[in-house]
PDB file of all heavy atoms in Angstrom:
ATOM      1  N   LYS X 140      -0.620   7.959  12.467  1.00 97.00           N
ATOM      2  CA  LYS X 140       0.091   7.167  11.506  1.00 97.00           C
ATOM      3  C   LYS X 140      -0.424   5.724  11.602  1.00 97.00           C
ATOM      4  O   LYS X 140      -0.919   5.309  12.612  1.00 97.00           O
ATOM      5  CB  LYS X 140       1.607   7.163  11.770  1.00 97.00           C
ATOM      6  CG  LYS X 140       2.221   8.548  11.768  1.00 97.00           C
ATOM      7  CD  LYS X 140       2.356   9.137  10.397  1.00 97.00           C
ATOM      8  CE  LYS X 140       3.163  10.484  10.428  1.00 97.00           C
ATOM      9  NZ  LYS X 140       3.399  11.011   9.097  1.00 97.00           N
ATOM     10  N   HIS X 141      -0.315   5.008  10.526  1.00 98.00           N
ATOM     11  CA  HIS X 141      -0.793   3.614  10.476  1.00 98.00           C
ATOM     12  C   HIS X 141       0.355   2.636  10.224  1.00 98.00           C
ATOM     13  O   HIS X 141       1.338   2.951   9.543  1.00 98.00           O
ATOM     14  CB  HIS X 141      -1.858   3.419   9.380  1.00 98.00           C
ATOM     15  CG  HIS X 141      -3.131   4.107   9.678  1.00 98.00           C
ATOM     16  ND1 HIS X 141      -3.512   5.298   9.070  1.00 98.00           N
ATOM     17  CD2 HIS X 141      -4.149   3.757  10.513  1.00 98.00           C
ATOM     18  CE1 HIS X 141      -4.697   5.645   9.562  1.00 98.00           C
ATOM     19  NE2 HIS X 141      -5.154   4.756  10.391  1.00 98.00           N
ATOM     20  N   THR X 142       0.203   1.498  10.803  1.00 98.00           N
ATOM     21  CA  THR X 142       1.122   0.364  10.551  1.00 98.00           C
ATOM     22  C   THR X 142       0.338  -0.686   9.831  1.00 98.00           C
ATOM     23  O   THR X 142      -0.721  -1.144  10.262  1.00 98.00           O
ATOM     24  CB  THR X 142       1.625  -0.196  11.877  1.00 98.00           C
ATOM     25  OG1 THR X 142       2.321   0.830  12.590  1.00 98.00           O
ATOM     26  CG2 THR X 142       2.585  -1.363  11.663  1.00 98.00           C
ATOM     27  N   ILE X 143       0.854  -1.084   8.643  1.00 98.00           N
ATOM     28  CA  ILE X 143       0.126  -2.021   7.793  1.00 98.00           C
ATOM     29  C   ILE X 143       0.854  -3.371   7.876  1.00 98.00           C
ATOM     30  O   ILE X 143       1.938  -3.538   7.299  1.00 98.00           O
ATOM     31  CB  ILE X 143       0.033  -1.503   6.346  1.00 98.00           C
ATOM     32  CG1 ILE X 143      -0.533  -0.105   6.280  1.00 98.00           C
ATOM     33  CG2 ILE X 143      -0.849  -2.440   5.505  1.00 98.00           C
ATOM     34  CD1 ILE X 143      -0.614   0.547   4.949  1.00 98.00           C
ATOM     35  N   MET X 144       0.264  -4.304   8.553  1.00 98.00           N
ATOM     36  CA  MET X 144       0.944  -5.569   8.848  1.00 98.00           C
ATOM     37  C   MET X 144       0.608  -6.678   7.885  1.00 98.00           C
ATOM     38  O   MET X 144      -0.545  -6.818   7.506  1.00 98.00           O
ATOM     39  CB  MET X 144       0.522  -5.989  10.263  1.00 98.00           C
ATOM     40  CG  MET X 144       1.489  -6.949  10.941  1.00 98.00           C
ATOM     41  SD  MET X 144       1.021  -7.221  12.663  1.00 98.00           S
ATOM     42  CE  MET X 144      -0.350  -8.330  12.471  1.00 98.00           C
ATOM     43  N   LEU X 145       1.605  -7.395   7.447  1.00 97.00           N
ATOM     44  CA  LEU X 145       1.364  -8.556   6.589  1.00 97.00           C
ATOM     45  C   LEU X 145       0.519  -9.571   7.258  1.00 97.00           C
ATOM     46  O   LEU X 145       0.802 -10.001   8.417  1.00 97.00           O
ATOM     47  CB  LEU X 145       2.695  -9.178   6.172  1.00 97.00           C
ATOM     48  CG  LEU X 145       3.716  -8.328   5.385  1.00 97.00           C
ATOM     49  CD1 LEU X 145       5.008  -9.108   5.183  1.00 97.00           C
ATOM     50  CD2 LEU X 145       3.147  -7.880   4.076  1.00 97.00           C
ATOM     51  N   ALA X 146      -0.556  -9.981   6.612  1.00 96.00           N
ATOM     52  CA  ALA X 146      -1.489 -10.979   7.158  1.00 96.00           C
ATOM     53  C   ALA X 146      -1.542 -12.195   6.298  1.00 96.00           C
ATOM     54  O   ALA X 146      -1.197 -13.330   6.671  1.00 96.00           O
ATOM     55  CB  ALA X 146      -2.863 -10.381   7.393  1.00 96.00           C
ATOM     56  N   LEU X 147      -2.000 -12.011   5.075  1.00 94.00           N
ATOM     57  CA  LEU X 147      -2.138 -13.101   4.126  1.00 94.00           C
ATOM     58  C   LEU X 147      -1.746 -12.587   2.726  1.00 94.00           C
ATOM     59  O   LEU X 147      -2.476 -11.856   2.153  1.00 94.00           O
ATOM     60  CB  LEU X 147      -3.553 -13.651   4.095  1.00 94.00           C
ATOM     61  CG  LEU X 147      -3.817 -14.930   3.254  1.00 94.00           C
ATOM     62  CD1 LEU X 147      -2.965 -16.101   3.756  1.00 94.00           C
ATOM     63  CD2 LEU X 147      -5.296 -15.270   3.259  1.00 94.00           C
ATOM     64  N   THR X 148      -0.567 -12.972   2.278  1.00 91.00           N
ATOM     65  CA  THR X 148      -0.039 -12.358   1.053  1.00 91.00           C
ATOM     66  C   THR X 148      -0.430 -13.134  -0.179  1.00 91.00           C
ATOM     67  O   THR X 148      -0.911 -14.265  -0.116  1.00 91.00           O
ATOM     68  CB  THR X 148       1.503 -12.235   1.163  1.00 91.00           C
ATOM     69  OG1 THR X 148       2.042 -13.519   1.476  1.00 91.00           O
ATOM     70  CG2 THR X 148       1.861 -11.275   2.296  1.00 91.00           C
ATOM     71  N   SER X 149      -0.171 -12.558  -1.341  1.00 83.00           N
ATOM     72  CA  SER X 149      -0.637 -13.119  -2.594  1.00 83.00           C
ATOM     73  C   SER X 149       0.381 -13.994  -3.313  1.00 83.00           C
ATOM     74  O   SER X 149       0.075 -14.518  -4.413  1.00 83.00           O
ATOM     75  CB  SER X 149      -1.059 -11.959  -3.560  1.00 83.00           C
ATOM     76  OG  SER X 149      -0.022 -11.081  -3.786  1.00 83.00           O
ATOM     77  N   ASN X 150       1.564 -14.158  -2.767  1.00 86.00           N
ATOM     78  CA  ASN X 150       2.615 -14.954  -3.437  1.00 86.00           C
ATOM     79  C   ASN X 150       2.446 -16.399  -3.208  1.00 86.00           C
ATOM     80  O   ASN X 150       1.752 -16.848  -2.267  1.00 86.00           O
ATOM     81  CB  ASN X 150       3.973 -14.454  -2.913  1.00 86.00           C
ATOM     82  CG  ASN X 150       4.159 -14.674  -1.467  1.00 86.00           C
ATOM     83  OD1 ASN X 150       3.369 -14.178  -0.670  1.00 86.00           O
ATOM     84  ND2 ASN X 150       5.150 -15.421  -1.047  1.00 86.00           N
ATOM     85  N   GLU X 151       3.048 -17.223  -4.037  1.00 86.00           N
ATOM     86  CA  GLU X 151       2.969 -18.678  -3.949  1.00 86.00           C
ATOM     87  C   GLU X 151       3.464 -19.192  -2.628  1.00 86.00           C
ATOM     88  O   GLU X 151       2.878 -20.128  -2.049  1.00 86.00           O
ATOM     89  CB  GLU X 151       3.745 -19.322  -5.104  1.00 86.00           C
ATOM     90  CG  GLU X 151       3.709 -20.820  -5.128  1.00 86.00           C
ATOM     91  CD  GLU X 151       4.522 -21.410  -6.280  1.00 86.00           C
ATOM     92  OE1 GLU X 151       4.976 -20.644  -7.127  1.00 86.00           O
ATOM     93  OE2 GLU X 151       4.730 -22.633  -6.272  1.00 86.00           O
ATOM     94  N   GLY X 152       4.529 -18.607  -2.068  1.00 92.00           N
ATOM     95  CA  GLY X 152       5.113 -19.079  -0.865  1.00 92.00           C
ATOM     96  C   GLY X 152       4.247 -18.756   0.369  1.00 92.00           C
ATOM     97  O   GLY X 152       4.628 -19.222   1.483  1.00 92.00           O
ATOM     98  N   ALA X 153       3.194 -18.004   0.202  1.00 89.00           N
ATOM     99  CA  ALA X 153       2.296 -17.724   1.332  1.00 89.00           C
ATOM    100  C   ALA X 153       1.806 -19.028   2.029  1.00 89.00           C
ATOM    101  O   ALA X 153       1.590 -19.044   3.250  1.00 89.00           O
ATOM    102  CB  ALA X 153       1.110 -16.921   0.912  1.00 89.00           C
ATOM    103  N   PHE X 154       1.694 -20.067   1.278  1.00 91.00           N
ATOM    104  CA  PHE X 154       1.175 -21.343   1.801  1.00 91.00           C
ATOM    105  C   PHE X 154       2.267 -22.056   2.608  1.00 91.00           C
ATOM    106  O   PHE X 154       1.965 -23.024   3.273  1.00 91.00           O
ATOM    107  CB  PHE X 154       0.694 -22.197   0.625  1.00 91.00           C
ATOM    108  CG  PHE X 154      -0.506 -21.617  -0.059  1.00 91.00           C
ATOM    109  CD1 PHE X 154      -0.382 -21.010  -1.306  1.00 91.00           C
ATOM    110  CD2 PHE X 154      -1.764 -21.629   0.496  1.00 91.00           C
ATOM    111  CE1 PHE X 154      -1.439 -20.482  -1.978  1.00 91.00           C
ATOM    112  CE2 PHE X 154      -2.868 -21.057  -0.171  1.00 91.00           C
ATOM    113  CZ  PHE X 154      -2.685 -20.489  -1.428  1.00 91.00           C
ATOM    114  N   ASP X 155       3.506 -21.628   2.531  1.00 95.00           N
ATOM    115  CA  ASP X 155       4.546 -22.266   3.340  1.00 95.00           C
ATOM    116  C   ASP X 155       4.292 -22.160   4.825  1.00 95.00           C
ATOM    117  O   ASP X 155       4.532 -23.072   5.578  1.00 95.00           O
ATOM    118  CB  ASP X 155       5.922 -21.666   2.979  1.00 95.00           C
ATOM    119  CG  ASP X 155       6.422 -22.041   1.601  1.00 95.00           C
ATOM    120  OD1 ASP X 155       5.832 -22.993   0.991  1.00 95.00           O
ATOM    121  OD2 ASP X 155       7.373 -21.419   1.122  1.00 95.00           O
ATOM    122  N   PHE X 156       3.827 -20.964   5.250  1.00 95.00           N
ATOM    123  CA  PHE X 156       3.590 -20.747   6.684  1.00 95.00           C
ATOM    124  C   PHE X 156       2.187 -20.189   6.999  1.00 95.00           C
ATOM    125  O   PHE X 156       1.520 -20.629   7.939  1.00 95.00           O
ATOM    126  CB  PHE X 156       4.649 -19.726   7.185  1.00 95.00           C
ATOM    127  CG  PHE X 156       6.052 -20.173   7.068  1.00 95.00           C
ATOM    128  CD1 PHE X 156       6.906 -19.495   6.216  1.00 95.00           C
ATOM    129  CD2 PHE X 156       6.517 -21.286   7.749  1.00 95.00           C
ATOM    130  CE1 PHE X 156       8.262 -19.895   6.066  1.00 95.00           C
ATOM    131  CE2 PHE X 156       7.840 -21.700   7.628  1.00 95.00           C
ATOM    132  CZ  PHE X 156       8.679 -21.024   6.749  1.00 95.00           C
ATOM    133  N   GLN X 157       1.716 -19.249   6.207  1.00 94.00           N
ATOM    134  CA  GLN X 157       0.565 -18.432   6.589  1.00 94.00           C
ATOM    135  C   GLN X 157      -0.702 -19.197   6.756  1.00 94.00           C
ATOM    136  O   GLN X 157      -1.570 -18.838   7.606  1.00 94.00           O
ATOM    137  CB  GLN X 157       0.395 -17.283   5.597  1.00 94.00           C
ATOM    138  CG  GLN X 157       1.552 -16.286   5.590  1.00 94.00           C
ATOM    139  CD  GLN X 157       1.469 -15.346   4.434  1.00 94.00           C
ATOM    140  OE1 GLN X 157       0.409 -15.048   3.874  1.00 94.00           O
ATOM    141  NE2 GLN X 157       2.615 -14.867   3.986  1.00 94.00           N
ATOM    142  N   THR X 158      -0.870 -20.315   5.993  1.00 92.00           N
ATOM    143  CA  THR X 158      -2.093 -21.036   6.097  1.00 92.00           C
ATOM    144  C   THR X 158      -1.912 -22.398   6.843  1.00 92.00           C
ATOM    145  O   THR X 158      -2.837 -23.186   6.921  1.00 92.00           O
ATOM    146  CB  THR X 158      -2.646 -21.348   4.664  1.00 92.00           C
ATOM    147  OG1 THR X 158      -1.657 -22.032   3.920  1.00 92.00           O
ATOM    148  CG2 THR X 158      -3.031 -20.059   3.960  1.00 92.00           C
ATOM    149  N   LYS X 159      -0.750 -22.611   7.396  1.00 94.00           N
ATOM    150  CA  LYS X 159      -0.494 -23.774   8.219  1.00 94.00           C
ATOM    151  C   LYS X 159      -1.293 -23.666   9.500  1.00 94.00           C
ATOM    152  O   LYS X 159      -1.478 -22.589  10.061  1.00 94.00           O
ATOM    153  CB  LYS X 159       0.983 -23.932   8.559  1.00 94.00           C
ATOM    154  CG  LYS X 159       1.892 -24.145   7.351  1.00 94.00           C
ATOM    155  CD  LYS X 159       1.631 -25.503   6.688  1.00 94.00           C
ATOM    156  CE  LYS X 159       2.616 -25.745   5.556  1.00 94.00           C
ATOM    157  NZ  LYS X 159       2.309 -26.991   4.801  1.00 94.00           N
ATOM    158  N   GLU X 160      -1.767 -24.793  10.008  1.00 94.00           N
ATOM    159  CA  GLU X 160      -2.574 -24.793  11.217  1.00 94.00           C
ATOM    160  C   GLU X 160      -1.674 -24.799  12.433  1.00 94.00           C
ATOM    161  O   GLU X 160      -0.703 -25.541  12.525  1.00 94.00           O
ATOM    162  CB  GLU X 160      -3.543 -25.962  11.227  1.00 94.00           C
ATOM    163  CG  GLU X 160      -4.671 -25.852  10.274  1.00 94.00           C
ATOM    164  CD  GLU X 160      -5.856 -26.744  10.602  1.00 94.00           C
ATOM    165  OE1 GLU X 160      -5.738 -27.540  11.560  1.00 94.00           O
ATOM    166  OE2 GLU X 160      -6.880 -26.704   9.869  1.00 94.00           O
ATOM    167  N   VAL X 161      -2.051 -23.928  13.394  1.00 88.00           N
ATOM    168  CA  VAL X 161      -1.367 -23.885  14.695  1.00 88.00           C
ATOM    169  C   VAL X 161      -2.433 -23.991  15.736  1.00 88.00           C
ATOM    170  O   VAL X 161      -3.356 -23.151  15.833  1.00 88.00           O
ATOM    171  CB  VAL X 161      -0.601 -22.516  14.848  1.00 88.00           C
ATOM    172  CG1 VAL X 161       0.060 -22.455  16.233  1.00 88.00           C
ATOM    173  CG2 VAL X 161       0.435 -22.310  13.737  1.00 88.00           C
ATOM    174  N   ASN X 162      -2.355 -25.057  16.531  1.00 86.00           N
ATOM    175  CA  ASN X 162      -3.415 -25.290  17.537  1.00 86.00           C
ATOM    176  C   ASN X 162      -4.794 -25.349  16.898  1.00 86.00           C
ATOM    177  O   ASN X 162      -5.775 -24.849  17.413  1.00 86.00           O
ATOM    178  CB  ASN X 162      -3.385 -24.275  18.684  1.00 86.00           C
ATOM    179  CG  ASN X 162      -2.079 -24.296  19.406  1.00 86.00           C
ATOM    180  OD1 ASN X 162      -1.478 -25.359  19.637  1.00 86.00           O
ATOM    181  ND2 ASN X 162      -1.621 -23.122  19.827  1.00 86.00           N
ATOM    182  N   GLY X 163      -4.875 -25.963  15.700  1.00 92.00           N
ATOM    183  CA  GLY X 163      -6.144 -26.103  15.011  1.00 92.00           C
ATOM    184  C   GLY X 163      -6.682 -24.893  14.314  1.00 92.00           C
ATOM    185  O   GLY X 163      -7.811 -24.872  13.849  1.00 92.00           O
TER     186      GLY X 163
END
Side-chain angles (χ1 to χ4, degrees):
K140 303 286 186 175
H141 290 101
T142 301
I143 308 178
M144 200 172 79
L145 298 176
L147 186 61
T148 55
S149 57
N150 60 304
E151 182 181 349
F154 297 103
D155 289 347
F156 300 115
Q157 296 168 28
T158 57
K159 297 292 185 185
E160 287 198 0
V161 178
N162 298 324

